[in-house]
Amino acid sequence: MSEQARTSVADGVLARPLAAVSLLDAVRDLRRDVERTGFPLEIRSVDAARASRARLLDQLSDHLVPRLEELSAPAIVVIAGSTGAGKSTIVNSLLGTEVTAAGVLRPTTRRPVLVHHPDDADLLDHHPVLEAVEVVEHTRVPRGIALLDAPDLDSVLDSNRATAHRLLEAADLWLFVTTAARYGDALPWQVLQGAVERGASIAMVLNRVAPASLPTVRGDLLERLREHGMQGAPLFVVPDVGPHEGLLDPAVLAPITRWLQMLAGLDRARTVIGRTLRGSLAALRPWVDELAEAVQAQADAAVALAAELDVATQGPQEAARAAVYGGVVSDGPARARWAELATAGGPLATVVRSSGRVDRSRRAGRGRAEALASLVGALTRSAAANLTAAGARAELVLRTHLRGAGAPDGGASLDAAWSAAEDAKARTSSAESAARAWEGFASAVATEALRQAALGPSRDDVRSAGRHAVRAAKHVARRAEQAERALGIRGLAAVALAAAAGLEPARALLVDLLGEAGTTASDELRGDLADRAAAEVARERAAVGELLDDPDLAPDASSLLRLRLAVLKGLT
């Protein structure tokens, strides 16, 4: 970019070199942040927000940044219009040769064509629209402008329509072609209104007008232009020459040719570029503000969803705890295994009945502990299954709150993003780990309970308690010593697990062996398992909650866009 261009371009939009650099940096930063902005939640306004983001990004990437990077580049004049308006014929006729396809087959313009003077090639070399167009050099194009034949706005091809809108955003000036038969169509006026909103420079070509209808059509069109705030837009009329092939007579397009030549003059081109640039920069403010509001709407929806999930979690957590305290883990194989162990002839029979001769050797204790291993396995598997079921029930409740009647905005999309298969696998793994941890914790609990029971009465207890209480405490201490030899820590831990799971005979045995310490041990293990069940429910809440831990859903997600907007306002 030349120093002269930097210091005086665009009618004072950029008054100094530093201002040009600062504004370009600000627009680049804004483009980067807009590009990074996402809308994870499918809330009511999301389609409009995404369309607004796409339009803003096109305007930044295809017009503002390239224009600010190369202020002396030719003004891009996009020839646009509806299907069959004659855009390509007009472009070819202006150049005196066929550079873009024209004909009755629709859509005719399949790939856009950008035509510029050979001496302007370097100034256009890095423009992003070159990726989407076929570039043609032609000496009939005045230096200082480039003609871009765009696809039909109402093309039957989605790709053509998208390209047409993108190229319009890249333009410094729109040369809009319509016909006497099509000028009243709604779509072109919607597009033109968008151009007015962003301050684009616009000219209109009324093509194929029969002389008899010219006054009426021209008057109606001028009235429509005034209604849409385009009363100052140049209007060129191309008469209907009847059926023909090839190029139009140069005389028919002479007014447009003279206008383009005048437009290509240095001062005039800068005026057009500056006017459109000012309009585009001004239009950014409401667009960015609208985008920031859309981002904030996402953040607000995320807060509402998180609150709903918290409410939904409470019921499953209470139910999971209640199931543990209700003894659900002891049902089934665990209860059957206990009955086998405790019946006459079973490893626990004499210990349970506290009668007859009990072999209290260490070897016998190890044997009983080994026999109890199958009970521990059954309890651990039952605990894992019930923890898994608690998680599954929680998932069902959470999903119902996300997609059922009265669900918060965005809940259905959060539910859809929550992978059921991945969560089921993680749930099973988590529940099994929790059950094994519960099993492992039982050894520490049994060890502490045995230590407490074996302490016996203290001197203060002996002095303050009655003789009966002291004898009872000594009895518990002796029973604890006998229990350690008869079952070992592993065996006691197994009995404690069974008691915590809800097997009342196991709890009675534990209290008989360890006294109050046995009650404490059973309650502690049962409470620990209830906590783990509640934690599995919380894990489900956390699994779906992770989807809300998205930077685009953060409470301050819109603040960066608002900061960029403030900087832009300060520079323009």
Side-chain angles (χ1 to χ4, degrees), residues 11 48 54 88 112 147 167 181 288 369 416 524 538 549:
D11 291 334
S88 298
L147 302 180
L167 296 179
V288 176
E524 185 174 2
D549 294 335

Side-chain angles (χ1 to χ4, degrees), residues 389-515:
R393 286 192 296 270
E395 181 197 1
L396 180 60
V397 171
L398 290 170
R399 289 191 185 276
T400 300
H401 276 252
L402 289 176
R403 67 192 177 201
D409 199 13
S413 61
L414 188 62
D415 173 57
W418 185 9
S419 171
E422 291 181 8
D423 192 59
K425 183 178 180 181
R427 178 188 306 129
T428 300
S429 176
S430 176
E432 290 175 349
S433 295
R436 289 193 298 270
W438 177 63
E439 175 193 335
F441 182 52
S443 294
V445 171
T447 299
E448 176 60 19
L450 186 62
R451 187 186 71 82
Q452 292 292 336
L455 286 177
S458 65
R459 291 182 180 180
D460 290 340
D461 291 337
V462 171
R463 285 195 296 268
S464 61
R467 189 175 301 174
H468 177 73
V470 171
R471 281 200 301 269
K474 288 181 178 180
H475 173 72
V476 169
R478 285 195 301 272
R479 284 288 287 166
E481 181 182 355
Q482 294 169 0
E484 181 182 12
R485 295 181 64 85
L487 295 172
I489 292 297
R490 285 173 54 205
L492 282 172
V495 174
L497 284 171
L503 285 170
E504 288 304 320
R507 183 180 177 88
L509 174 59
L510 195 64
V511 173
D512 183 48
L513 295 174
L514 303 178

Side-chain angles (χ1 to χ4, degrees), residues 81-404:
S82 302
T83 301
K87 303 182 298 298
S88 298
T89 298
I90 288 176
V91 171
N92 292 336
S93 299
L94 288 169
L95 299 175
T97 185
E98 186 170 307
V99 296
T100 180
V104 296
L105 180 63
R106 304 295 175 217
T108 299
T109 306
R110 289 180 171 83
R111 182 167 175 81
V113 177
L114 177 73
V115 191
H116 64 82
H117 193 281
D119 293 340
D120 283 338
D122 290 343
L123 295 174
L124 287 167
D125 187 48
H126 299 295
H127 201 293
V129 299
L130 298 187
E131 301 172 358
V133 302
E134 179 182 346
V135 180
V136 176
E137 296 183 358
H138 201 290
T139 56
R140 290 282 295 271
V141 179
R143 287 207 63 188
I145 65 172
L147 302 180
L148 208 170
D149 184 19
D152 302 330
L153 290 172
D154 56 354
S155 172
V156 296
L157 300 179
D158 291 342
S159 59
N160 272 3
R161 293 197 302 274
T163 300
H165 284 277
R166 176 188 174 187
L167 296 179
L168 287 172
E169 294 296 341
D172 295 297
L173 186 147
W174 293 18
L175 185 59
F176 204 89
V177 182
T178 188
T179 66
R182 301 292 303 274
Y183 75 92
D185 291 354
L187 176 61
W189 290 106
Q190 292 174 6
V191 175
L192 286 169
Q193 189 60 49
V196 172
E197 291 172 359
R198 76 167 180 85
S201 299
I202 301 170
M204 181 77 74
V205 176
L206 180 58
N207 195 21
R208 302 178 189 146
V209 186
S213 61
L214 176 58
T216 301
V217 173
R218 187 176 184 277
D220 190 25
L221 181 55
L222 286 172
E223 180 60 30
R224 288 174 182 265
L225 288 171
R226 282 193 293 272
E227 290 174 356
H228 287 81
M230 292 181 284
Q231 56 271 21
L235 174 60
F236 302 99
V237 177
V238 178
D240 188 359
V241 298
H244 75 283
E245 294 183 3
L247 308 179
L248 297 172
D249 188 324
V252 173
L253 300 179
I256 302 176
T257 301
R258 288 193 298 270
W259 176 73
L260 289 174
Q261 290 171 344
M262 179 184 65
L263 182 68
L266 180 61
D267 292 339
R268 182 70 182 212
R270 285 181 176 175
T271 299
V272 172
I273 290 171
R275 183 167 60 246
T276 300
L277 186 57
R278 284 195 304 273
S280 297
L281 290 169
L284 282 184
R285 298 177 186 179
W287 288 6
V288 176
D289 191 57
E290 179 183 346
L291 188 65
E293 289 295 329
V295 171
Q296 188 60 51
Q298 290 272 316
D300 293 343
V303 170
L305 284 167
E308 183 71 16
L309 291 172
D310 290 339
V311 171
T313 302
Q314 295 173 5
Q317 281 191 322
E318 293 172 0
R321 288 181 177 278
V324 170
Y325 281 104
V328 67
V329 176
S330 66
D331 292 339
R335 188 176 298 278
R337 186 57 185 148
W338 175 267
E340 293 173 2
L341 293 168
T343 54
L348 291 180
T350 54
V351 178
V352 169
R353 290 167 178 74
S354 301
S355 60
R357 180 178 176 79
V358 179
D359 186 350
R360 298 188 177 90
S361 66
R362 297 291 181 185
R363 180 178 180 181
R366 286 193 296 272
R368 293 188 186 95
E370 290 173 1
L372 286 166
S374 61
L375 173 64
V376 172
L379 288 167
T380 303
R381 287 190 295 274
S382 180
N386 281 281
L387 293 178
T388 300
R393 286 192 296 270
E395 181 197 1
L396 180 60
V397 171
L398 290 170
R399 289 191 185 276
T400 300
H401 276 252
L402 289 176
R403 67 192 177 201

